[in-house]
Amino acid sequence: MNIMSNTPGDSLKEKLDQLQCHFTWRPQKETIDLDDMSSRLQNSLRFSVKRKAQFYNHLAFINCLQGHFEEAIVNLKEAENILREKYKDGFKRRSIITYGNFAWVHYHMGQLTEAQSYLDKLEMICEPLSDGPRYTAMIPEVYGEKGWSLLSSGAEYYEEAKECFAKAQEQDPDNIEWMFGLVAAQTRLASMSGTPESRDQSQSVKHF
């Protein structure tokens, strides 16, 4: 989308760049096989009972990069519905990445008013959670989903994924999801280096 400088779109883009979501994380379009990633995410949605909202979030990002904007919106609505049903009172904390993705997809569609509406929602959610960035909050739920996204994106991102899970666990040490994510990242890194202790660990995280 071509937007001239000094337009409302420029100001909006500056805000979008502050978000924590798939559109501001690595990897980007140039570093992943979009068709392969789409296929893997769709298989995960068919066969996995865990983290479906995260898979829909990630798939929305891939669909948007492929120009499938309406499919991306459908993906994000699915993610939002799952999060609302599953987490109840914790929905707002879990919706930060979904709403960030919504904002970016609407921006790419040229729907700037809709994109701004999601930024407004994010500002209301994040203000009591953080004294940092205006439109996001670095809370365990954000670190954790970023970790899972990076872990599914290729070996070059495993170290960063491990760091994300470590930060999530540091803030929320009793959450088993962050513990399993950290072990999964450590196991993959160890297997890359040929460390034998990774073998026993791998079975404990294979299906999580």
Side-chain angles (χ1 to χ4, degrees), residues 52-169:
K52 280 187 176 291
Q54 294 171 2
F55 293 138
Y56 274 121
N57 264 330
H58 201 163
L59 184 58
F61 169 64
I62 300 300
N63 271 324
C64 186
L65 292 185
Q66 292 179 311
H68 304 153
F69 301 124
E70 296 300 334
E71 290 93 333
I73 293 295
V74 171
N75 297 152
L76 293 173
K77 287 181 178 178
E78 290 283 358
E80 182 179 19
N81 289 337
I82 291 169
L83 293 173
R84 195 180 297 277
E85 175 64 25
K86 183 175 181 179
Y87 292 104
K88 310 295 184 184
D89 293 341
F91 167 72
K92 288 184 178 180
R93 296 174 64 93
R94 289 278 180 170
S95 68
I96 290 173
I97 292 164
T98 304
Y99 284 170
N101 285 343
F102 261 124
W104 269 101
V105 173
H106 282 298
Y107 172 77
H108 282 296
M109 296 173 74
Q111 298 173 349
L112 304 190
T113 300
E114 288 83 353
Q116 181 62 54
S117 73
Y118 280 99
L119 288 173
D120 293 342
K121 290 181 181 181
L122 284 167
E123 188 171 20
M124 291 181 63
I125 292 170
C126 295
E127 184 177 9
L129 297 176
S130 173
D131 57 1
R134 182 176 176 184
Y135 297 105
T136 195
M138 298 313 298
I139 58 176
E141 291 84 352
V142 171
Y143 280 123
E145 185 159 354
K146 183 176 182 180
W148 287 120
S149 175
L150 292 169
L151 199 62
S152 69
S153 297
E156 63 265 43
Y157 306 110
Y158 291 169
E159 183 65 39
E160 188 176 355
K162 184 187 78 171
E163 293 172 2
C164 288
F165 288 123
K167 290 175 181 176
Q169 190 176 38

Side-chain angles (χ1 to χ4, degrees), residues 5 15 19 28 51 77 131 157:
S5 61
K15 297 174 183 176
L19 301 182
Q28 294 297 311
R51 305 199 313 276
K77 287 181 178 178
D131 57 1
Y157 306 110

